[in-house]
Amino acid sequence: MSKLLLMQTLSSLLSTIHDAIWSYNLSEKKFIYLNKRLAEIFDTSIEAIEEDPKFWRKYIHPVDYSYVIEQTEKAFNGESVEIEYRIIVNGEVRWISDKKVAVAGDENSVVITGILSDITKKKIDETILSDTERTFRYLFVNNPNPLWTYDCETLKFLAVNNAAITKYGYSKEEFLSMTIADIRPEEDVPLLINSVKEVRSQFYDSGRTWRHLKKNGDLMYVNISGHGIKHMGRDAELVMAHDITEQVKNQQIITLAKENLDTLINNIEDHIWSIDRKYNVLSINNSFRNIIRRGVGRDLEIGDSIFMPEFTPEAKQLWLKYYDRALKGEVVQFIDQIKLPGNEPYFSETKLSPIFNNQEVVGVACISSNIEERLETQKKIMNHNQSLLELISIASHEIRGPIASLLGLSEVFNTQNYADPFNAEIITLMQNTIRQLDDLIHKLVDKTYALQQENQLRYSVQQNRSESGSL
């Protein structure tokens, strides 16, 4: 192959390369080769480049100019140079990678050969990446929630942020000498190790409450979320801990209060239940549950309709009317004879109160008290009062009649002549009146004794109840 053909072939190959390639004869001060990519980078023509070999200097960014000229002089002196700098083409800043090397040419001439690459996109990407890394680093260090990364194999802390240092009380150096097991109670470590085995390259929320220990020994409850990552080629995890200690303690207080309230509600004889707007049971105490169980042979469960199949149509319509009034915001109170399925009718005092949520009625709270004993007591009180009225009547009317008769007879008795035949008749009348008065006195004594016995019985029952309640 001739030298000319070889040069043509080489030139064709070099013209397809994306980088600019050139050769400059330093002795003759002219280009001996350049491809069209060089002209494209500077947005000029090959002819303009050949006419002015120093054309490129006017494109150099002012900030980089001295550095680029200094490095180029080194290439002219026989050194290999590889630099990056900026040029300005039509007002646009471009980044250039410039590689130059001096080689010996024919007849002791020196040829500078260079490769010029447009690396603008690479630099922009590097800038974006650097800004992103800097942003994420800032977000990590200054995040208000404790953050750390750890090695999934050794469990050693790899990095911690300021919030973790403040929250847990360890210094950064102390953290980096510890493992994530060191901030857990010993009994929680096996569960921790099993959890670490599930770490993947994706976000996850543990879905449970973890216990952590501060440096001072205080126990802290946290929610944990994380994401598996690679750290220097090793499996690691980025973790965020959210302190929920106050929420847990408050929930424990609420739970205890609810348990106490449930215990109280489930140990009173009144029937207590609540329903939602669809008449489904929201809550039910043991007293009401038991009376339903006795009646229909099964339990009324949360979520069941309050209108069991055993309800008669008449009873359902009556209760539906009461419930609907309460669901409209009215407090409904009534005394009626209750007919629960499978149970004997009994008189009850019932109160239905609307349950509000943000001023909207969402259900009804119900309490019903069996008042059969109260009504019986009221009946006894009425009978007692009637007996008292009878006593009063005996004392004020029936006794006063015979006494008045005796007084009248004594007035007509002939005290001047005891042998007066009329006196015998008066004495007979007085004897009859006295017997009538004696009957009334016995009647009064019997009623008084009956009332006394009833009061003693009532006092004994009340005292027994009081003593039983104080146990």
Side-chain angles (χ1 to χ4, degrees), residues 209 284 293 362 379 403:
T209 298
I284 179 172
R293 185 188 297 124
V362 295
K379 182 179 178 180
I403 292 176

Side-chain angles (χ1 to χ4, degrees), residues 186-436:
E186 185 176 349
E187 58 270 25
D188 293 356
V189 173
L191 186 61
L192 167 67
I193 293 174
N194 289 334
S195 177
V196 171
K197 293 177 182 178
E198 302 298 321
V199 173
R200 300 288 183 271
S201 285
Q202 60 186 28
F203 170 82
Y204 89 101
D205 189 321
S206 64
R208 58 161 294 156
T209 298
W210 292 89
R211 299 189 302 169
H212 283 185
L213 291 171
K214 297 181 180 181
K215 183 177 181 179
N216 63 5
D218 287 350
L219 191 66
M220 180 170 61
Y221 294 92
V222 297
N223 278 338
I224 292 293
S225 56
H227 199 295
I229 60 173
K230 285 289 185 181
H231 181 84
M232 300 182 68
R234 294 180 61 83
D235 290 332
E237 185 184 17
L238 172 64
V239 172
M240 174 184 286
H242 181 57
D243 184 2
I244 58 169
T245 304
E246 287 302 316
Q247 294 94 310
V248 170
K249 289 183 177 179
N250 290 338
Q251 186 59 48
Q252 290 172 343
I253 293 173
I254 293 172
T255 300
L256 180 60
K258 183 179 183 303
E259 290 174 352
N260 291 337
L261 181 61
D262 288 344
T263 300
L264 176 64
I265 291 174
N266 284 322
N267 282 279
I268 62 177
E269 295 182 358
D270 291 342
H271 304 150
I272 300 175
W273 72 100
S274 62
I275 61 168
D276 61 19
R277 294 193 64 85
K278 295 182 179 180
Y279 313 106
N280 295 324
V281 176
L282 293 174
S283 62
I284 179 172
N285 77 336
N286 288 342
S287 178
F288 192 53
R289 189 190 304 275
N290 291 338
I291 197 171
I292 294 297
R293 185 188 297 124
R294 288 197 302 269
V296 301
R298 59 183 174 84
D299 283 334
L300 181 63
E301 302 290 353
I302 304 301
D304 289 349
S305 172
I306 193 65
F307 298 118
M308 296 170 290
E310 292 82 1
F311 262 91
T312 64
E314 296 78 12
K316 180 177 179 180
Q317 284 300 119
L318 178 64
W319 279 97
L320 188 64
K321 177 182 68 175
Y322 290 142
Y323 286 137
D324 285 347
R325 286 170 59 188
L327 287 170
K328 291 178 181 178
E330 179 184 352
V331 176
V332 182
Q333 287 183 279
F334 59 91
I335 295 177
D336 201 352
Q337 190 175 50
I338 301 298
K339 298 179 181 179
L340 291 175
N343 288 274
E344 291 295 324
Y346 64 92
F347 279 94
S348 176
E349 183 176 26
T350 304
K351 181 178 181 180
L352 310 181
S353 302
I355 302 172
F356 289 93
N357 182 26
N358 294 328
Q359 299 184 340
E360 178 185 0
V361 179
V362 295
V364 179
C366 315
I367 181 168
S368 181
S369 303
N370 188 325
I371 60 171
E372 289 283 344
E373 184 177 343
R374 191 175 87 189
L375 293 178
E376 183 64 26
T377 300
Q378 290 176 348
K379 182 179 178 180
K380 290 180 179 179
I381 291 174
M382 292 177 64
N383 291 336
H384 181 75
N385 291 339
Q386 183 63 35
S387 297
L388 288 175
L389 289 174
E390 291 176 1
L391 286 175
I392 294 172
S393 176
I394 292 172
S396 63
H397 295 93
E398 295 185 40
I399 293 179
R400 289 179 64 186
I403 292 176
S405 297
L406 288 174
L407 290 174
L409 290 171
S410 66
E411 290 293 331
V412 298
F413 189 80
N414 187 354
T415 58
Q416 302 297 323
N417 182 11
Y418 291 104
D420 187 344
F422 183 66
N423 282 351
E425 184 178 351
I426 291 175
I427 290 173
T428 300
L429 291 173
M430 291 182 69
Q431 288 176 337
N432 291 335
T433 301
I434 290 171
R435 280 193 291 271
Q436 181 183 0

Side-chain angles (χ1 to χ4, degrees), residues 123-218:
K123 282 294 185 179
I124 292 175
D125 290 344
E126 288 177 352
T127 300
I128 293 174
L129 180 60
S130 177
D131 289 344
T132 301
E133 290 177 345
R134 188 162 44 250
T135 299
F136 276 103
R137 180 64 183 170
Y138 178 86
L139 291 175
F140 176 84
V141 172
N142 298 288
N143 194 291
N145 291 308
L147 294 173
W148 60 78
T149 58
Y150 71 92
D151 188 300
C152 290
E153 181 179 351
T154 66
L155 304 185
K156 287 188 67 67
F157 284 101
L158 302 174
V160 294
N161 74 343
N162 294 334
I165 293 170
T166 301
K167 176 67 72 175
Y168 288 81
Y170 294 102
S171 67
K172 181 179 179 181
E173 292 72 22
E174 287 174 321
F175 261 121
L176 297 182
S177 68
M178 298 163 56
T179 72
I180 59 173
D182 294 331
I183 61 170
R184 265 84 172 180
E186 185 176 349
E187 58 270 25
D188 293 356
V189 173
L191 186 61
L192 167 67
I193 293 174
N194 289 334
S195 177
V196 171
K197 293 177 182 178
E198 302 298 321
V199 173
R200 300 288 183 271
S201 285
Q202 60 186 28
F203 170 82
Y204 89 101
D205 189 321
S206 64
R208 58 161 294 156
T209 298
W210 292 89
R211 299 189 302 169
H212 283 185
L213 291 171
K214 297 181 180 181
K215 183 177 181 179
N216 63 5
D218 287 350

Side-chain angles (χ1 to χ4, degrees), residues 76-94:
F76 289 169
N77 293 327
E79 296 183 31
S80 295
V81 175
E82 182 175 350
I83 59 175
E84 293 178 355
Y85 57 93
R86 291 164 291 180
I87 61 174
I88 301 175
V89 179
N90 296 327
E92 176 189 353
V93 177
R94 298 177 182 176

